[in-house]
Each structure stands twice: as structure tokens, then as C-alpha cells.
């Protein structure tokens, strides 16, 4: 059993707050079916934006969100010349890129760093998990910044997957965007669930499909795709008819946009349940054992493998959130080096390496953007055996999708405390992702009041392309 999360791990939160027993925002439900189903995409409100093509060349994206904040000093910005109380105990190893060394525990990834761009000058000033996650995942500041007390709301900027769901039509009956294996939350944060993972002001119809659970387990399935025990297809259709009748009566009393959105979600949910193509896309058992072993027989590795399987078949953006490991995720206030060496880096290293290799072997890497980033980094000065939050300088990775591999963008100072060259905000990083996906700098979408809102708030790092 995993060690329970330490309530003192984030002392700035104060005492551990219990999450209220409520349905997570962004997870709709079909109560009559007994399915916990997130809000899905809308087939009827697809919009086009001038200039969406011709910028980057990525047709799809796998966004690995390293929830908790990986230490830049112990991963991709080693400082072997720094004092011991800063550099820590890990050694650096060479890569095929001259001048680029990374942590010794990324031993599988090291030979592939000529396919990867490292951004070493990510920076912002928000030390809170929840609000900084919103900024990284949406490219915009949240409604309440520097806060771990503010849960998701309809005022949030849409997740980048929700933007893709709004701009692009579904392919092969699959949703444009998927999130797995959970909506990232921090039990020590009063707000609980991180904002920026939903449709936000676009509405719940554009929430990415949430696929929960542990796909490394032999009995895993996608709850949203599983019929209830004993519920045959004819009975499912009868349930749909009954639910439609009830909805019609409800809408006669309440003709709100929210009610219409829920009706669309229900219609799409039934279509999802009935689609053999969708079921096949989620069938990890169809992958050879050696492939599953290469990605790692753990929750992160199998989620990344499933992400590859989904983008191959038509899903356009998959977010893989670092899972609830019961030990504070990458939030290593204590036991930093043991946690990184034994629990965090090995599955991340194996999964990212297998993903890049698989995409390249299948001829998909040039058209698939791979992102690996957290919400912030860690403080250079070691505190006992841990590192505290540090948003002022950290690292992120980009690969594929037109990104020039072997690039190092930005430089940190001698202790990775602050950027020394080319600072990059989360807004810039997110704009770079959007640029790769072909979303123009001046692209807008209307919010709930029909006011045009610019999608890209930062400046794309165009030097990384080509």
C-alpha cells in the first residue's frame, strides 16, 4: 500500500483540509445509467478559426503534466559545479547533444535527447499548485491567482484540450480531447481540484473525456464505455428514450444553455457506449506484451501507451496527469532524492522514452507534439532532505510536431534560481504548444457573453521550430 500523503508536505496550505464529498467539477453524470461520465465533445458546434493551419505541423498532442513540480536541478538542469547543498547527490550523464547533460536516472531518455528540446528558463511568481496549474494548462492566469483555495469554476480559461475540442471536428467517432487517469488535485490544498482542466467559459460540453483508473491492472476498463451489468443494447436504447422524454419535459420548464449542453452530453454518451471503434481504441489488451513492458507495467506507463494508441486512432489531444501515487506526486518537500530515484523518475523515464521511440518508428513523431512539464520547479537550497516550491526557474520538454530536436532554449543562473537568458512564462510555453498545433496568434473564441477572447496570451518560442 502506498504511504498516505503527508499533510505537512505543503506547509503553506496550513492544516490538511478534507475534500468535500461532491462530484468533481467537469465530471457530468448520467444518473439513470449509473455511469460517471465526464462532459463530452459537441458534434454540432464545431467552429473554425482563420489561420488555424500552416503554423506548426502537429496534428495531435500528448501533454504529460508532471503534477507537483519536478526539481529542475535533479532532472534536466543539473548544476554539478554548484555547492553540495544545491546540487544534491545525483550525477549528470551525457547525451548526443553537445553541452546537454541530464540526470543519471533518465538513463533511457538520455540517448534520445537529440529528438527533444529542453526549455531551461521557465519562470513565473506563483508558488501555489492550483492556480499555477491553471496557467500552465491554459496559457492564462486563473480568475484568482496565487491561490490553493480556489477550485475550478466556469470563469476558468478552457484547458488546451477543450480549445482543440472547440476548434476541431471529432475523428473516427472519438472525442477530440481525453484526460487520464484523473483530474489532478492536491488533498492539502483547500481548493482541492486544480482549475484549468475543464471547458471553463466554453462550457462543460468541451470538457475532455476523463478516463480514470489504473490501466496497468488486468481488470481495468473505461467506466464511461462499460454497460451496466445485465444492461443489453436494447435496454440501453430504452433508457435513452426514457431519458430523452424526461429531458424534453425538463427543457420545457427550463430552456437554459446549461440544460441544452447536458442534453448534448447525454446524446453523445449513448453514442460512445454503442461505438465498437471507440471501444477498440481503448483496448490496451490489443497491444503486444513486449510493447506494454517497454512503456512500463505501471499506471503512468500504461496511460502514456494508451495516449499513443488514442492519438493514432483520432484523438487529437491527450493529457496524462501524473497519477495519485499517495505520496505527494512530484511535490518532494521531503525525501526528494529517494523519491525521485526510486518512484518518480524511473516510470517517467521509461514511458517518455518508449513514447518517443514508438512515435518515431510509426512515422508519427513529426506530426505529434509531446509535452513534458510541471506547474513549477523546486528551490535550489535543499531543506533537510527535500526541496520547496520554486516557480522562478524550472524546465520543460517539447518533442515532435515540428520542434527542432537537440535544442536548449534559455539558460538558468549558476544555481537554477532564476533565468539568466531568454525567460519563458507559462503563457509563452502554452502559446508554443498552440503554435505547434496550428492555432494562430490572433485566434479568438467567444465566451459565454459572446465576447471574443484571445486564445494565445503569450509569445510562442518560434526559434524551436524548423
Amino acid at each position: 500500500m502506498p504511504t498516505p500523503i503527508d499533510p505537512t508536505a505543503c506547509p503553506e496550505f496550513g492544516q490538511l483540509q478534507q475534500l468535500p464529498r461532491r462530484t468533481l467539477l467537469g465530471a457530468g453524470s448520467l444518473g439513470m445509467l449509473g455511469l460517471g461520465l465526464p462532459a463530452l465533445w459537441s458534434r454540432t458546434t464545431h467552429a473554425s478559426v482563420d489561420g488555424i493551419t500552416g503554423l506548426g505541423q502537429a496534428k495531435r498532442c500528448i501533454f504529460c503534466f508532471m503534477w507537483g513540480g519536478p526539481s529542475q536541478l535533479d532532472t534536466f538542469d543539473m548544476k554539478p559545479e554548484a555547492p553540495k547543498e544545491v546540487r544534491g547527490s545525483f550525477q549528470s550523464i551525457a547525451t548526443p547533444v553537445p553541452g546537454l547533460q541530464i540526470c543519471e536516472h533518465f538513463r533511457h531518455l538520455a540517448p534520445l535527447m537529440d529528438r527533444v528540446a529542453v526549455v531551461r528558463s521557465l519562470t513565473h511568481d506563483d508558488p501555489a499548485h492550483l492556480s499555477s496549474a491553471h496557467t500552465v494548462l491554459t496559457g492564462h492566469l486563473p480568475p484568482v491567482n496565487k491561490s490553493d483555495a480556489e477550485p475550478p469554476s466556469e470563469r476558468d480559461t478552457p484547458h488546451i484540450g477543450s480549445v482543440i475540442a472547440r476548434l476541431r471536428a471529432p475523428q473516427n467517432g472519438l472525442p477530440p480531447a481525453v484526460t487520464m487517469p484523473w483530474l489532478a488535485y492536491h488533498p492539502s490544498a483547500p481548493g482541492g481540484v486544480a482549475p484549468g482542466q475543464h471547458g471553463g467559459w466554453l462550457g462543460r460540453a468541451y470538457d475532455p473525456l476523463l478516463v480514470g483508473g489504473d490501466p496497468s491492472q488486468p481488470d481495468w476498463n473505461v467506466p464511461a464505455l462499460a454497460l451496466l451489468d445485465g444492461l443489453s443494447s436494447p435496454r440501453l436504447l430504452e433508457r435513452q428514450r426514457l431519458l430523452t422524454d424526461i429531458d424534453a419535459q425538463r427543457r420545457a420548464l427550463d430552456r437554459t444553455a446549461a440544460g441544452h449542453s447536458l442534453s448534448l452530453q447525454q446524446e453523445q454518451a449513448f453514442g460512445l457506449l454503442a461505438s465498437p471503434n471507440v471501444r477498440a481504441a481503448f483496448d490496451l489488451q490489443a497491444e503486444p506484451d513486449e510493447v506494454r513492458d517497454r512503456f512500463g507495467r505501471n499506471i503512468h506507463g500504461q496511460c502514456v501507451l494508451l495516449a499513443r494508441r488514442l492519438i493514432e486512432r483520432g484523438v487529437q489531444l491527450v493529457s496524462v496527469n501524473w497519477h495519485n501515487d499517495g505520496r505527494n506526486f512530484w511535490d518532494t518537500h521531503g525525501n526528494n532524492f529517494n523519491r525521485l530515484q526510486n518512484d518518480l523518475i524511473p516510470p517517467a523515464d521509461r514511458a517518455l522514452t518508449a513514447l518517443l521511440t514508438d512515435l518515431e518508428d510509426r512515422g508519427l513523431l513529426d506530426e505529434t507534439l509531446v509535452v513534458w512539464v510541471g506547474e513549477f520547479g523546486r528551490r535550489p537550497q535543499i531543506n533537510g532532505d527535500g526541496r520547496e516550491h520554486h516557480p522562478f526557474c524550472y524546465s520543460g520538454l517539447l518533442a515532435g510536431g515540428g520542434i527542432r530536436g537537440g535544442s536548449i532554449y534559455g539558460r538558468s543562473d549558476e544555481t537554477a534560481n532564476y533565468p539568466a537568458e531568454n525567460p519563458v512564462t507559462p503563457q509563452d510555453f502554452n502559446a508554443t504548444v498552440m503554435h505547434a498545433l496550428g492555432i494562430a496568434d490572433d485566434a479568438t473564441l467567444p465566451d459565454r457573453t459572446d465576447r471574443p477572447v484571445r486564445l494565445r496570451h503569450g509569445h510562442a518560442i518560434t526559434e524551436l521550430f524548423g
Side-chain angles (χ1 to χ4, degrees):
M1 292 292 291
T3 302
I5 291 176
D6 179 3
T8 65
C10 282
E12 62 270 30
F13 296 157
Q15 297 204 347
L16 177 65
Q17 308 249 350
Q18 295 295 325
L19 286 178
R21 286 185 160 286
R22 65 179 185 272
T23 303
L24 296 180
L25 288 171
S29 62
L30 295 178
M32 295 189 67
L33 286 171
L35 297 174
L37 190 67
L40 301 180
W41 69 101
S42 171
R43 296 187 301 265
T44 59
T45 55
H46 166 66
S48 62
V49 172
D50 291 340
I52 191 172
T53 58
L55 299 177
Q57 63 188 55
K59 295 180 180 178
R60 57 194 76 88
C61 175
I62 297 175
F63 196 114
C64 297
F65 181 46
M66 300 296 103
W67 176 231
S71 167
Q72 70 279 13
L73 287 145
D74 305 312
T75 54
F76 302 109
D77 196 5
M78 309 288 288
K79 299 293 182 181
E81 304 302 321
K84 185 177 181 180
E85 62 271 17
V86 169
R87 71 174 184 266
S89 58
F90 294 166
Q91 303 298 310
S92 57
I93 54 174
T95 72
V97 182
L100 176 60
Q101 295 186 325
I102 65 175
C103 174
E104 61 183 320
H105 301 301
F106 280 98
R107 60 187 182 89
H108 296 98
L109 183 63
L112 297 184
M113 289 304 292
D114 58 349
R115 281 82 153 177
V116 178
V118 183
V119 179
R120 284 180 164 170
S121 53
L122 278 164
T123 182
H124 59 89
D125 64 353
D126 182 358
H129 287 287
L130 269 59
S131 50
S132 61
H134 178 285
T135 308
V136 169
L137 296 173
T138 70
H140 294 254
L141 291 175
V144 180
N145 198 29
K146 299 182 182 180
S147 171
D148 273 311
E150 194 70 17
S153 76
E154 293 182 351
R155 297 181 298 149
D156 297 342
T157 302
H159 182 272
I160 188 170
S162 299
V163 172
I164 294 299
R166 179 67 168 83
L167 295 177
R168 295 183 178 177
Q171 297 179 10
N172 302 323
L174 288 158
V178 170
T179 292
M180 63 177 81
W182 69 329
L183 293 176
Y185 75 88
H186 203 303
S188 295
V193 180
Q197 301 182 80
H198 306 84
W201 47 256
L202 279 178
R204 290 182 56 189
Y206 298 101
D207 287 357
L209 172 67
L210 178 61
V211 176
D214 182 354
S216 70
Q217 297 302 307
D219 59 347
W220 176 82
N221 56 47
V222 182
L225 305 182
L227 295 177
L228 292 176
D229 291 341
L231 185 59
S232 62
S233 293
R235 288 186 63 199
L236 177 66
L237 294 175
E238 176 61 22
R239 292 276 182 98
Q240 182 180 18
R241 185 197 63 76
L242 179 59
L243 194 56
T244 300
D245 290 345
I246 294 174
D247 270 356
Q249 297 176 40
R250 175 182 50 77
R251 287 196 303 273
L253 298 174
D254 179 16
R255 296 190 177 276
T256 64
H260 181 60
S261 174
L262 183 58
S263 177
L264 285 174
Q265 294 164 27
Q266 292 168 344
E267 177 189 346
Q268 293 149 9
F270 282 106
L272 196 65
L273 286 167
S275 170
N277 182 58
V278 171
R279 291 171 179 274
F282 285 92
D283 184 11
L284 271 179
Q285 299 295 331
E287 293 288 339
D289 285 342
E290 59 268 25
V291 173
R292 299 194 70 178
D293 292 342
R294 191 166 68 246
F295 276 81
R297 293 281 187 159
N298 53 70
I299 183 171
H300 181 69
Q302 297 304 293
C303 280
V304 173
L305 173 56
L306 181 57
R308 189 268 288 159
R309 189 173 176 85
L310 292 175
I311 62 99
E312 249 184 331
R313 288 160 174 80
V315 176
Q316 295 164 67
L317 190 141
V318 181
S319 295
V320 180
N321 294 333
W322 191 262
H323 50 282
N324 181 6
D325 59 9
R327 299 183 184 181
N328 304 315
F329 337 113
W330 290 81
D331 196 24
T332 50
H333 292 271
N335 203 22
N336 175 75
F337 298 99
N338 285 331
R339 285 279 289 135
L340 290 173
Q341 179 176 345
N342 299 320
D343 305 321
L344 297 167
I345 293 179
D349 173 42
R350 181 178 292 275
L352 184 55
T353 302
L355 175 63
L356 295 176
T357 302
D358 257 26
L359 291 174
E360 189 169 58
D361 290 347
R362 293 163 185 266
L364 295 172
L365 186 58
D366 287 344
E367 295 182 345
T368 304
L369 181 68
V370 178
V371 183
W372 195 100
V373 72
E375 68 270 35
F376 45 57
R378 315 305 297 186
R379 188 177 301 167
Q381 292 74 25
I382 299 169
N383 181 15
D385 63 351
R387 296 189 191 268
E388 309 301 332
H389 297 183
H390 190 76
F392 304 106
C393 188
Y394 64 111
S395 301
L397 306 181
L398 296 165
I403 294 291
R404 190 174 65 251
S407 301
I408 306 172
Y409 188 85
R411 181 173 65 85
S412 62
D413 62 20
E414 62 275 8
T415 61
N417 197 30
Y418 293 98
E421 292 179 0
N422 297 325
V424 176
T425 67
Q427 292 91 328
D428 298 331
F429 192 82
N430 191 280
T432 306
V433 174
M434 289 194 176
H435 182 90
L437 290 166
I439 299 175
D441 178 61
D442 58 352
T444 64
L445 281 175
D447 65 10
R448 291 176 180 273
T449 64
D450 214 30
R451 177 179 63 94
V453 179
R454 188 167 175 170
L455 298 177
R456 284 169 50 174
H457 190 62
H459 301 284
I461 312 170
T462 54
E463 295 90 332
L464 290 179
F465 295 86

